[in-house]
Structures are given as C-alpha cells and as structure tokens.
C-alpha cells in the first residue's frame, strides 16, 4: 500500500495518511449520527425547562407555602388513574415552582408489555394537573428516546453504543492528526480568515474539534456506560469492588396495614437529617418495600441523589441503606458518569458546557462535508482543464 515504507513498517507520514482516511470515512459515514446525538443531547440538558415552557399548565405551579402530605398526593394520583395499579413512584421537583410526578406502569393490550404514564400533581394543593402524559409521546420524552436509541428500542440503544465507540475513535484520530510539532503551536491554533474556502473550513473544523475534544471524549465514554452499563461496570469491578443491586422484601403479616408514605419518609430522613428528599419508590405488591431516595450535601448527582433507604412497608423497619459517603472508589466512579454526561456534576456551568459541546459534532460534520465537497469540485475542475492526449498531440 502507498502509505507503507519499504521495510513494511508504517512511517510517520504513512500513519498520518492512514488515520486521515479513518477519520475521513468515519465523518462521512456516521458523522450525521454524531451530530444528531449531540444536538438531542444538548436539548436534553435543559429538558425540564423545555417541558415547563411547552406545558406550563401541567408543569408549573405557584409556590404557596408547605406541601400537602404525600399520602394525599398518592390518593389523588390513584383517583386520576383508577384503571391502573397504583403509582410505582413519586418524584419531587427541583424547584419550588415545579410539580410532583406520579408514575404508573400501564399494561398495553394483552401483549404483556407496559408503558410509563405520568400524572402531575400540584404539591401545594394535592390536585391533579395532568393525567395522561405517556412516556415517548411528549416532546421531551420523544427527544430522550431519539437520543438514547433512535426510537428503535434495544436495537437502537446497541447501535448508539457502537457509535459512542466510533466517536471515541473519531475524536482520537482528529487529535492525532492535529497534534502540532514542537514550535508550531501558534499555527496549530490559528485561523486563516484570508485563506481559501477549503482552508477556512479546515481551520473552523480543526479549532472546534480541538476546543471540544476533551468534553466530547467524556460524553462519548459516559454515553457508552449508559448504553452498556453491565460491560463498563464489569471493567470497573476489576479495579474496585462494586456492590450488586440490593433486593429486599417486606414481611407480610395478616391484618397488618402498610405504614403511610409520610411515615416512611420521616423514618428515612431520621437517618439522613441533612439530606434532601428526591423520590419515593412505592410498593406494587404485598412483599415489596418502600424506597426513599435522598441527596446528601456534596453528592455529585443533583437531580436524584445516590443515597437510598429501603423500608419494610408494614413495620417500617430499615432493611437496607445506601450511603453516598460509604461508596467504594468503583461505585463513586460509576456514580459520577451520568452527572458528567448531562453536566449536572458541575451545576449550571457544567450544563452549559455540555450544551455547547453537544453542538460541536454538527459543526464538525458540516465543515467536514463542506471540505470533502470543495476538494471534489477542485479535482473535477482540474481534470477538466487537463489536456487529453489527443489535444496535446494536436498542439
């Protein structure tokens, strides 16, 4: 091959040519997918604000003092959807103007499949605001499914995960091709405003890629974990212990009624008095447990936290506790990955960084496609101007 040296080894120029071809064809073949994932991911960074803007009557309320009891909220949700089993969870808002979400598992026909349906509740009045928000049919949930698996369910999720690997390769080859020799760093980060159209496209492609390369690598890797958590988790276990997902059961006693939701919350909050309540997992069957999700000060995941308390739904006995402060190094590493992916690990600044970086693959795709087209047109013009053997002989 032309990029091989005589000795059969790839020299520096040969490596450059090889990786340029890899980088080039990755961009032309799956660059659009990178751009689609980036744009949808950017939008999802602020999914809650988008949903509230599109559906203010269903997603926003007026701060009006203390919340009503959680027992009242569960009762309101049950009354709104009496055709389904009770809600499997309550999710608290991030802001005082937000709503409480009650989620149901609704059977679909006789196929055995279920779909998630959300009922939104005003926490200050325990009144229902919406009762038929089906997951995958609202704009933000549709956007989420498009980002996660191109609306192709498990097959799409696998393909997205593979594209995450290809994005790692694309960014890596791009950095290798850009990496300047000693003394040429200024030229490597320069932009030629007076250059040819190809040169300007190249400079824009180069600079946007370099600027976003580190965050893109993080997003690609964390996205890979979200699509293939078992494989990434297995690799982490080789370095540091990672506990298996806890499974607990309540002890069913005849004639004993379950404790109230508010009682369960109070018991969990006694264990973590400084924590913020984030969600409540409600039992669906007689031997299920109550799960209370909290966020302690300093936890990296701001929207839902990592601390969990499992309670017997009848006696209120604490069956298990997950304490953020006691996680192993491997568990802490895995806990960081989702907050890094959506930017919440570093608050609003982190979200904006992820939002902007998510738009970079679109810039790379457009500039790369533009360069390919311009070079193709230049070669075509050069070939048309080149004299044929017949005209050369005649001349």
């Amino acid at each position: 091959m032309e990029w091989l040296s005589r000795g059969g080894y790839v020299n520096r120029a040969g490596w450059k040519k090889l990786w340029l071809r890899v980088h080039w064809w990755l961009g032309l073949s799956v660059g659009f997918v990178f751009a689609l994932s980036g744009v949808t991911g950017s939008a999802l960074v602020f999914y809650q604000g988008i949903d509230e803007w599109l559906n203010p009557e269903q997603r926003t309320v007026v701060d009006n003092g203390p919340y009503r009891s959680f027992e009242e909220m569960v009762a309101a949700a049950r009354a709104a959807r009496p055709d389904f089993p009770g809600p499997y969870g309550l999710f608290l808002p991030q802001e005082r103007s937000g709503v409480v979400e009650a989620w149901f598992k609704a059977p679909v026909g006789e196929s055995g499949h279920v779909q998630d349906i959300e009922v939104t509740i005003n926490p200050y009045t325990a009144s229902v605001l919406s009762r038929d928000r089906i997951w995958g049919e609202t704009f933000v949930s549709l956007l989420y499914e498009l980002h996660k698996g191109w609306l192709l369910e498990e097959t799409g999720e696998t393909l997205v995960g593979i594209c995450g690997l290809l994005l790692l390769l694309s960014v890596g080859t791009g950095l290798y091709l850009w990496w300047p020799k000693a003394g040429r760093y200024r030229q490597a980060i320069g932009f030629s405003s007076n250059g040819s159209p190809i040169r300007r496209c190249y400079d824009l492609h180069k600079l946007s890629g370099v600027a976003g390369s580190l965050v893109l690598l993080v997003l690609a890797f964390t996205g890979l974990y979200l699509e293939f958590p078992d494989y990434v988790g297995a690799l982490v276990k080789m370095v540091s212990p990672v506990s298996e997902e806890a499974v607990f059961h309540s002890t069913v006693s005849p004639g004993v009624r379950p404790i109230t939701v508010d009682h369960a919350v109070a018991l969990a909050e006694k264990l973590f008095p400084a924590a913020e309540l984030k969600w409540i997992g409600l039992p669906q069957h007689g031997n299920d447990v109550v799960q209370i999700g909290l966020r302690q000060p300093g936890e990296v995941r701001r929207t839902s936290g990592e601390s969990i308390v499992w309670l017997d739904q009848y006696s209120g006995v604490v069956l298990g506790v997950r304490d953020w402060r006691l996680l192993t190094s491997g568990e802490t590493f895995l806990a960081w990955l989702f907050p890094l992916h959506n930017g919440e690990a570093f608050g609003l600044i982190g979200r904006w960084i992820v939002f902007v970086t998510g738009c970079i693959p679109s810039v790379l795709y457009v500039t790369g496609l533009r360069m390919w087209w311009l070079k193709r047109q230049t070669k075509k013009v050069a070939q048309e101007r080149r004299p044929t053997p017949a005209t050369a002989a005649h001349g």
Side-chain angles (χ1 to χ4, degrees), residues 19-67:
W19 291 121
L20 178 60
R21 289 182 178 182
V22 172
H23 186 76
W24 196 252
W25 284 110
L26 278 174
L28 291 177
S29 58
V30 291
F32 176 76
V33 175
F34 297 158
L36 177 64
S37 294
V39 169
T40 53
S42 290
L44 286 171
V45 167
F46 297 109
Y47 78 94
Q48 186 174 5
I50 293 173
D51 201 11
E52 291 174 354
W53 176 64
L54 292 174
N55 307 283
E57 71 287 349
Q58 298 178 356
R59 302 293 303 176
T60 59
V61 295
V62 177
D63 184 345
N64 192 23
Y67 282 2

Side-chain angles (χ1 to χ4, degrees), residues 4 8 12 26 34 43 66 118 126 142 160 187 191 232-233 248 267 296 307 309 316 328 332 385 392:
L4 289 176
R12 180 177 173 82
L26 278 174
F34 297 158
E118 175 195 37
L142 185 65
V160 169
Q187 181 181 353
F191 181 82
V232 176
F248 300 100
L267 291 172
Q296 298 186 70
S307 299
V309 179
T328 67
T332 301
R385 291 179 178 178

Side-chain angles (χ1 to χ4, degrees), residues 185-214:
Y185 296 105
R186 177 175 293 184
Q187 181 181 353
I189 59 174
F191 181 82
S192 179
S193 58
N194 297 323
S196 66
I198 294 178
R199 180 66 192 187
R200 292 197 298 271
C201 270
Y202 169 75
D203 285 346
L204 182 57
H205 185 89
K206 168 191 69 177
L207 293 175
S208 57
V210 170
S213 58
L214 178 60

Side-chain angles (χ1 to χ4, degrees), residues 83-137:
D83 47 332
F84 300 145
Y88 65 82
L90 292 181
F91 296 85
L92 275 67
Q94 304 302 314
E95 306 291 341
R96 294 285 297 178
S97 60
V99 299
V100 169
E101 303 170 3
W103 284 91
F104 293 78
K105 291 286 186 184
V108 180
E110 299 179 356
S111 62
H113 295 290
V114 295
Q115 64 183 6
D116 288 301
I117 294 183
E118 175 195 37
V119 172
T120 57
I121 300 169
N122 184 331
Y124 302 104
T125 62
S127 58
V128 171
L129 301 176
S130 67
R131 60 183 297 275
D132 55 358
R133 289 171 57 89
I134 301 175
W135 181 261
E137 295 186 4

Side-chain angles (χ1 to χ4, degrees), residues 36-37 40-41 44 135 140-162 223 226-229 341:
L36 177 64
S37 294
T40 53
L44 286 171
W135 181 261
V140 292
S141 63
L142 185 65
L143 198 64
Y144 177 85
E145 293 299 327
L146 180 62
H147 178 74
K148 185 180 180 182
W150 305 338
L151 307 180
L152 298 176
E153 298 181 345
E154 292 184 6
T155 300
E157 292 174 15
T158 300
L159 292 174
V160 169
I162 294 172
L226 295 175
E227 298 293 0
F228 303 127
H341 192 73

Side-chain angles (χ1 to χ4, degrees), residues 378-394:
T378 301
K379 288 181 180 179
K380 182 177 179 182
V381 171
Q383 289 175 354
E384 291 175 351
R385 291 179 178 178
R386 185 181 303 162
T388 63
T391 57
H394 181 72

